Amino acid sequence: MKETLKVARHKVDQTQSQADSLESANQATRLKIAELNKKIEEAQTERLEKTHEFEDRLVELSANFKHARRFHTDDNLKSEIKQTEAHTQQLGEDAEKRKNEIEHLTTVLEELRLERESKKQPEPEIPIEVQQMVYEMFKNEHEQVKAKADEMNSELQELKAEKEKLKNWKPPELPPDDQTVA
């Protein structure tokens, strides 16, 4: 009987050990399942957020395309071309005025120099420092006017190029079913 009791106890210990081992394995598996469920939930949340971001971006792009489609009508383009032409013409006129001013000042200075040489008068009583200062002022003004004229000519060329782009622009063709959208 003692021996049977010993064998039974040994069997109970063995069974208890197996049960503890299975419980440990089950606990580890539960932890892995909980971790995997958490990762799945995070992935679903991230996918949902990305989907919402994508939908928002699509809505924004759609609105931009509708706005662009309305803006790039023939009437709007014609208006832009007219404004560009008017601005180009104004810049051309301003550049021509500046050019004429430069030519006039150059002519006046040359006439004064020739007049002075023809009279062969003694040196004027204007001190040389004042003469140099006046010369530098005219020279600086001439350089500023020339720089402004060059800048205006450059802008005029850019506007002409932009005008040509606008004249050559053609609106994209829309599929027949999209033409009802306004």
Side-chain angles (χ1 to χ4, degrees), residues 19-180:
D20 289 344
S21 175
L22 285 174
E23 181 60 32
S24 294
N26 283 344
Q27 184 63 26
T29 304
R30 280 188 213 111
L31 289 173
K32 284 183 181 178
I33 289 173
E35 186 179 317
L36 289 174
N37 282 338
K38 184 179 178 183
K39 285 183 180 179
I40 289 171
E41 189 177 314
E42 288 173 356
Q44 287 177 338
T45 302
E46 183 180 345
R47 181 186 56 81
L48 189 61
E49 287 174 1
K50 297 250 184 221
T51 302
H52 286 303
E53 287 175 13
F54 181 71
E55 288 172 349
D56 292 344
R57 184 69 179 132
L58 282 177
V59 168
E60 181 183 333
L61 285 173
S62 175
N64 288 344
F65 286 134
K66 284 180 182 178
H67 175 71
R69 184 172 160 204
R70 282 188 209 116
F71 178 76
H72 291 291
T73 61
D74 287 340
D75 292 338
N76 280 341
L77 290 176
K78 286 177 184 177
S79 172
E80 285 292 320
I81 290 171
K82 285 179 184 177
Q83 288 176 356
T84 303
E85 286 175 344
H87 189 64
T88 302
Q89 184 178 1
Q90 182 63 39
L91 286 176
E93 290 171 2
D94 289 347
E96 189 64 32
K97 284 179 187 177
R98 297 292 177 144
K99 183 179 175 185
N100 290 339
E101 286 176 15
I102 291 170
E103 289 173 358
H104 176 70
L105 287 173
T106 305
T107 304
V108 168
L109 286 174
E110 185 62 27
E111 287 173 359
L112 287 173
R113 187 185 64 77
L114 290 175
E115 182 181 317
R116 191 171 118 207
E117 285 178 2
S118 68
K119 291 184 178 180
K120 300 278 182 185
Q121 294 179 350
E123 286 293 319
E125 295 184 16
I126 300 174
I128 191 74
E129 294 85 15
V130 174
Q131 290 178 19
Q132 287 176 342
M133 186 175 67
V134 169
Y135 172 77
E136 286 299 319
M137 283 178 19
F138 277 117
K139 182 179 170 186
N140 288 340
E141 186 174 338
H142 173 73
E143 289 171 358
Q144 289 174 352
V145 169
K146 186 174 182 334
K148 185 67 174 174
D150 290 345
E151 181 183 318
M152 292 174 110
N153 281 330
S154 173
E155 190 174 337
L156 177 65
Q157 294 306 319
E158 289 173 10
L159 286 171
K160 284 181 180 179
E162 184 67 25
K163 174 183 164 187
E164 284 304 312
K165 282 182 187 177
L166 286 172
K167 279 186 177 178
N168 294 329
W169 184 85
K170 292 188 173 130
E173 292 189 25
L174 298 174
D177 59 332
D178 281 352
Q179 292 184 4
T180 59

